[in-house]
Amino acid sequence: MKDDLFFNLDHGYAEGLCRGFKSGILKASDYHNLVQCETLEDLRLHLQSTDYGNFLANEASPLTVNVIDDRLREKLVQEFQHLRNVSYQPLSTFLDYITYAYMIDNIVLLITGTLHQRAIGDLLPRCHPLGSFEQLGAITVADTPAQLYTAVLVDTPLAPYFIDCISEHDLDELNVEIIRSTLYKAYLEDFYNFCKTLGGITAEVMCEILAFEADRRAFMITINSFDTGLTQDERAKLYPTCGHLNPDGLQELRRTDSYDGVRDVAARYPQYKVLFEGSGTNTGDKTIEDKFFEYEVKLNMNAFLRQFHFGIFYAYLKLKEQENRNIIWIAECIAQKHRTRIDNYIPIF
Amino acid sequence: MDSLCEQIDKLTIDYLEEFGHLLACKQLLDDTIKQGYFNLSRARVIMGVNNLSRLQYSEKDPMIASTKISITLTPFNIEKQIDKEHYDDTLKWFGLLSPTILKQSQKSFQQTIDLALETCIRQKKILQLKNQIEQLLKEKKTFLIKENFDENKKDN
C-alpha cells in the first residue's frame, strides 16, 4: 500500500514521462514500412514520420549504418539523462546503477583499443555516453589490472566490483575478457541486492529481470567459451549467482563441454527449455541469442503492466536498445541488399 | 576419321560438363561470401556496433597473412600454406567470448579461399580442354580438305 500512496509524490512526474516515451516505441506497422525500404534514404524518410522525427536530418548523404547507430544512441541517451535529471532518491541511485553497466563496457573498449594501439582520440568518441566518468580518459596509461585499479578505478563507483580482478598479470585478451565478466558479475549481484532492499513491486519486477540476465550470462559464457582457452574452473568464476540457475544449474554448466550439454541443463528449467527448443546452430534457425532477446523483451513489456515501481525505467531503456538493434539490423540488410532475413527483428508491440 | 570425330565429341561433352561445374563453383563462392558478410552483420547487431569495428584491431602493426598461396604456371600448380602460428589470432581481437555466429562467419570466409582455388583449377582445366578441342578440329579440317582434294583428283 505504501507504494501506491506515496510513490507519485517523488516519482510521479518521472513515471509519467517514461510512459510517454514508451508510447513512442515503434509498432508493428512502423516496422512493416521500414522493411519495405529500398535504400537507407528511404529508411530515413520513414523514420521521420515516427517519434524519431528529424534526428537524421543533418547527416550528409550517403548515409551509413554507423551514423544511424550513433544518432539512435544519442537520442536514447538524451531521454535517459532527462529522466535522471528530474528524478529524486532513491530513483536517482537506481538510474545510476543502470549506468554502471555502460561504464564497464567503456572500460573494456578503451583497454582493447589501447592494446591494439588505437589513439585515445579515436576511442573516446566511441564510448557510450551513459557510461562516461571523469577518469575514463586515464585508462590508457594502465598496463596491468593492479595499475588500472589504483590509477583509475579506485575513485569510481566501480571500485568495489574490481576487488576480484586485481592482479599483476599483463592485460591480454584472456584477462580483458575475465575482467569484463568479473566486473559485470559483481555489478549484477550488487544491483540485484539493491533492488531487493528497495522492496515492494520494484523488487518483484527487477529481481525477475535481473535473474534472467544472470542466467543468460551464464549460458552465453558457457556456449561461447567452447574451443577457447578458458578452463571450466575459470569459467565457473564468471557465472553471476543471482539467477534461477544458482546453485545446481551453475554446477551442471560448469561441467558441460558441448552445446547439447548446455541444452540438457536448460531442459531442467521450463522457461529456458522452451527457448533452447526453438533455436539451433544451423544457418536457417533462430540463434539462442535471438530467443534470449525475445524473452527479455517479454519480461520488459510485462514491467509496464504494473504501476508505482522503478522497473519501468530499466525496462524502457532495454526496450529502446532492442528497438535500436532492430533498426540497425534492417539498415544492414538494406545496405547489403540481402533481404532474406530482414524479418529477423524482434517486434516489441 | 571416325575416331577423330569421336574424340572431338567426347572432349566437347567434357568441356560442357566442366563449364557447368565451374558455374556451380562460382555460385557457391558467391553464396559463401554473402553468408560470411551476413553473419558478420548479425554478430555486429548482437555484440553492439562499436564492439565489432576498426577499434578492435591495430592499424599500426603490420598484418601477417595467415594463408599463403603460390601459383606456378608451368607445370600448372597451386599450393596453399597455412601459417600455423598466427592462424586463430584474428577472432580473439574481438573478445575471447565472441558469439558462435562470428565464428561461423570466420569459417565461411576461410572456405572462400578453398572455393576460389577450386574455381581457378577448374577454369584452367576448361581452357586446356578448349585448346585440345580446337587442335582436334584443326586436324579434322586438314583431313577433310585432304579428302576433298583426293576426291577431286580422282574425278579428274
Side-chain angles (χ1 to χ4, degrees), chain A residues 116 118 126 281 290 336, chain B residues 41-42 50 54 56 104:
Chain A
H116 297 128
R118 285 277 167 193
R126 314 292 294 173
T281 48
D290 289 330
Q336 289 188 13
Chain B
S41 321
R42 189 91 205 128
N50 279 337
R54 64 182 178 80
Q56 270 76 25
Q104 282 179 349

Side-chain angles (χ1 to χ4, degrees), chain B residues 46 53 68 85 90-91 120 124 130 133:
Chain B
I46 291 178
S53 67
K68 295 200 177 86
E85 236 179 66
T90 40
L91 206 57
C120 270
K124 184 74 187 168
K130 182 164 169 246
I133 294 178

Side-chain angles (χ1 to χ4, degrees), chain A residues 182-287:
Chain A
T182 319
L183 280 177
Y184 199 81
K185 167 189 152 102
Y187 155 71
L188 206 57
E189 287 167 359
D190 193 23
F191 196 9
Y192 185 87
N193 291 335
F194 175 70
C195 291
K196 259 210 144 50
T197 53
L198 285 178
I201 310 175
T202 304
E204 281 175 38
V205 171
M206 280 309 295
C207 289
E208 178 69 38
I209 296 179
L210 292 178
F212 168 69
E213 185 63 33
D215 292 336
R216 172 168 52 173
R217 289 287 297 180
F219 280 127
M220 291 323 299
I221 288 176
T222 316
I223 294 177
N224 292 339
S225 69
F226 298 142
D227 296 327
T228 64
L230 209 60
T231 65
Q232 286 182 340
D233 290 328
E234 279 176 339
R235 182 172 89 199
K237 283 196 270 198
L238 305 177
Y239 296 149
T241 52
C242 53
H244 299 299
L245 287 177
N246 187 40
D248 304 320
L250 293 182
Q251 281 283 48
E252 291 292 309
L253 273 185
R254 180 200 191 124
R255 291 197 283 260
T256 56
D257 259 327
S258 70
Y259 186 79
D260 288 325
V262 176
R263 195 190 277 256
D264 290 334
V265 175
R268 305 230 225 116
Y269 301 85
Q271 67 270 45
Y272 302 136
K273 180 171 177 201
V274 175
L275 297 180
F276 273 86
E277 272 173 7
S279 69
T281 48
N282 306 322
T283 37
D285 299 335
K286 284 201 166 160
T287 60

